[in-house]
Amino acid sequence: LIGIAFANSPEFVAAAPGGEAVFGTNPLAVGIPARRSDTNDDDDSTTANQPFTFDMATSAIALFGVLSAKAKNEPLPPNVAYAKDGSMTTDATEALEGGGAIATFGGHKGAGLALCVELLAGALSGGAVLGQVESKKVAKSWGHTFIAIRPEDLVDDYDEKVGSILETVKASGGGGGGENGLVRIPGENSAKIAAERRAVGYMPIPIQIWESIVETSQHGLSGK
């Protein structure tokens, strides 16, 4: 199956510079089966016949990135969040709690994608709707929409076609961040890290994040 997910979330992201937060980080994700022609059943590569996976927030930075920076008392990257007066800020607390907002990625293009997710995952799912509630945060309601496509009902050998496309893109070069001059396909690095974590049997977590998890498990969300 091909899987497509749209996830609505509370208001943290402004539609335009200086505006109030109206969108969530509104991520979207796609998972597509693939079969590479240059691998075989004995290939133990972490990317051999891995499905293509891609997920992204429509905001300039994922909410976890902002929460992580706040927990570790680190500055945000430049140009990903607004202060209350509409200027850019690197202060995570100001962006989350000081009247500021997270920016969309890519200006109007990111805002357009965020709006699409709002319409598909918010209005279509039965979750809280902007303008009809005080806020999604107050209503504690936001929705998700999932789409599943059975490719064999539409085309033959879809996973081989996908593999061909991925191999061609990977071999196209140009310094895309992969090894040996190959383009790194989305999801490959995550698959490699996941395999390494499974091999050693643990996942490192920054102490501030762990303390936040423990605090939440013991006392619940702070409500901020």
Side-chain angles (χ1 to χ4, degrees), residues 31-36 47-54 162 166 186-188 191:
I32 298 175
R35 185 161 69 243
R36 315 289 178 91
T47 60
N49 294 331
Q50 283 282 338
F52 169 80
T53 58
F54 176 74
V162 171
L166 296 179
E188 283 186 345

Side-chain angles (χ1 to χ4, degrees), residues 131-143:
Q132 295 184 358
V133 294
E134 180 181 348
S135 75
K136 290 177 287 182
K137 293 178 187 176
V138 173
K140 298 186 182 301
S141 172
W142 43 92

Side-chain angles (χ1 to χ4, degrees), residues 92 160 224:
E160 291 183 3
K224 293 181 179 180

